[in-house]
Amino acid sequence: MAKRPDRDLEKTYPRKEFVAKLRRLADAIEAGKAFSIQVAGERLRIPADALFNIEHEREKNVDEVEFQLRWKRE
């Protein structure tokens, strides 16, 4: 398998698309199933046993909340 390059990006979505992605993710998590999503042209498969966390960052007058999923690629 070819090595995939490191990647760190943010992609902004319109509210309707963001909500649809969250709903599909929540349904997959609730059902204990893997979840597939395409982000900026790359298809990702998140396994059902991924780890979930919520991160809060604050800097000056800006707050940020990140819902994170972490898993090891096979």
Side-chain angles (χ1 to χ4, degrees):
M1 178 183 270
K3 184 176 184 224
R4 294 163 50 172
D6 289 346
R7 187 176 187 195
D8 186 5
L9 65 89
E10 280 186 31
K11 174 100 169 102
T12 301
Y13 291 93
R15 182 185 317 253
K16 188 173 182 177
E17 285 182 45
F18 184 72
V19 168
K21 290 177 187 301
L22 284 176
R23 280 207 177 97
R24 285 192 321 104
L25 173 61
D27 289 346
I29 292 169
E30 190 172 52
K33 295 182 177 178
F35 176 75
S36 291
I37 187 170
Q38 186 166 323
V39 180
E42 184 173 338
R43 171 104 9 224
L44 303 170
R45 183 185 176 280
I46 300 153
D49 63 349
L51 301 175
F52 310 100
N53 70 11
I54 300 172
E55 182 177 319
H56 174 236
E57 297 177 20
R58 179 179 296 131
E59 186 174 317
K60 298 183 182 175
N61 65 341
V62 176
D63 281 85
E64 181 177 354
V65 172
E66 296 179 10
F67 292 81
Q68 298 182 343
L69 295 88
R70 185 174 293 234
W71 67 98
K72 290 202 182 244
R73 290 189 306 270
E74 297 174 8

